[in-house]
């Protein structure tokens, strides 16, 4: 026998920065555009990674997500423990764009997609001081 | 809610590629948030963020929205620590309180806010 129950629903949206313009991306020309022209067109990236030792990869992303959350709680009987049920429907994704540059800072290629697909394999590394010493010699 | 002070667009505009050094960048902008090694070159990241949240609480049905924008500056240096490229995006002044059905990406609104922030539009 139900003695008391409560249901709550919440709708939450989250924005983070502006999306990278697809119109700007499609106008980029690999082999012709360089780091300077890309920074002018797209602004500062969110992340920079080393690519093939002397190249680099730049990543832009944004958040535009909406999520529903439903919470139901009830007492099923007097002196019995309460029950609570909740459900989240989160459509959060983090779309973005990545640009790759060679050692001369010339654009090699660009891709649009989700961050989890664009970012794997890129990890900032600390400076290799021994390698720099060898280069200096 | 904010993290770091907004980046001075005027200070960033005073940096000159192929002339300014990493030491001068740090003197003007302070310590970077991150330093990335790029072969023998390097890149410094400066950032700040601002977020505003709004909610409508009707007890059974509630709505919330959060808008977060960032200032980002990346300074790229050659092997001799001379600035070669700089990229800047300023967004912390564009943050706004809005409910889920409101558009927070209106170009006119962004342009008005840009005009009020020194250095962003080249003034």
């Amino acid at each position: 026998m139900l003695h008391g129950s409560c249901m709550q629903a919440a709708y939450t949206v989250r924005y983070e920065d502006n999306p990278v313009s697809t119109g700007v991306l499609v106008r980029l020309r690999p082999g012709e555009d360089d780091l300077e022209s890309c920074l002018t067109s797209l602004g500062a990236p969110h992340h920079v990674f080393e690519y093939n030792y002397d190249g680099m990869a730049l990543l832009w992303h944004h958040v535009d997500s909406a999520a529903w959350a439903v919470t139901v709680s009830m007492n099923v009987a007097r002196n019995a423990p309460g029950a609570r049920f909740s459900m989240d429907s989160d459509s959060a994704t983090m779309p973005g764009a990545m640009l790759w540059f060679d050692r001369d800072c010339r654009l090699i290629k660009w891709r649009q997609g989700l961050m989890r697909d664009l970012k794997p394999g890129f990890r900032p590394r600390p400076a290799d001081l021994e390698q720099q010493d060898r280069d200096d010699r | 809610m904010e993290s770091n002070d907004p980046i001075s667009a005027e200070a960033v505009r005073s940096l000159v590629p192929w002339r300014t050094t990493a030491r001068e960048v740090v003197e003007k902008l302070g310590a970077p948030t991150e330093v990335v090694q790029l072969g023998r070159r390097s890149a410094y990241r400066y950032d700040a963020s601002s977020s505003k949240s709004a909610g409508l609480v009707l007890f059974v049905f509630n709505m919330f929205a959060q808008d977060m924008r960032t200032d980002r500056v990346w300074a790229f240096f050659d092997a001799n620590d001379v600035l070669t490229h700089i990229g800047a995006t300023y967004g912390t002044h564009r943050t706004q309180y809005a409910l889920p059905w409101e558009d927070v990406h209106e170009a006119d609104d962004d342009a008005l806010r840009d005009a009020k922030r020194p250095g962003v539009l080249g003034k």
Side-chain angles (χ1 to χ4, degrees), chain A residues 5 19-20 23-24 27-28 36 58-59 62 79-80 87 90 105 112 121-122 128 135:
Chain A
S5 63
V20 174
V24 172
R27 283 196 293 274
L28 298 177
E36 185 174 351
L58 275 53
L59 176 67
H62 72 280
N79 300 326
M87 183 191 79
D90 191 348
C105 296
Q112 263 185 308
F122 288 99
D128 184 346
D135 290 345

Side-chain angles (χ1 to χ4, degrees), chain A residues 27-102:
Chain A
R27 283 196 293 274
L28 298 177
R29 293 153 301 174
E32 293 181 35
D33 274 295
D34 59 12
L35 180 59
E36 185 174 351
S37 65
C38 292
L39 290 173
T40 302
S41 301
L42 297 169
H46 287 83
H47 302 283
V48 173
F49 304 98
E50 186 182 58
Y51 171 64
N52 282 351
Y53 182 63
D54 50 8
M56 65 181 88
L58 275 53
L59 176 67
W60 285 258
H61 62 76
H62 72 280
V63 174
D64 191 344
S65 71
W68 280 98
V70 177
T71 303
V72 179
S73 59
M74 65 185 74
N75 290 322
V76 290
R78 198 182 301 275
N79 300 326
R84 183 183 173 94
F85 168 78
S86 69
M87 183 191 79
D88 283 312
S89 163
D90 191 348
S91 60
T93 55
M94 200 179 278
M98 186 169 249
L99 275 60
W100 286 263
F101 296 87
D102 64 15

Side-chain angles (χ1 to χ4, degrees), chain B residues 100-118:
Chain B
W101 58 84
E102 293 180 88
D103 183 4
V104 295
H105 295 303
E106 290 173 322
D108 292 347
D109 193 36
D110 287 345
L112 276 174
R113 290 164 185 263
D114 289 350
K116 290 179 183 170
R117 182 165 173 182

Side-chain angles (χ1 to χ4, degrees), chain A residues 53 127-137, chain B residues 40:
Chain A
Y53 182 63
D128 184 346
L129 297 177
E130 290 181 355
Q131 178 66 43
Q132 286 190 11
D133 287 343
R134 284 194 293 275
D135 290 345
D136 289 339
R137 286 196 294 269
Chain B
R40 301 203 63 210

Side-chain angles (χ1 to χ4, degrees), chain A residues 8-9 17-18 44 50 54 136, chain B residues 39-41 59-60 70 89 105:
Chain A
Q8 274 191 322
D17 289 325
N18 285 349
E50 186 182 58
D54 50 8
D136 289 339
Chain B
R40 301 203 63 210
R41 296 174 293 185
F59 298 101
V60 174
T70 55
T89 294
H105 295 303

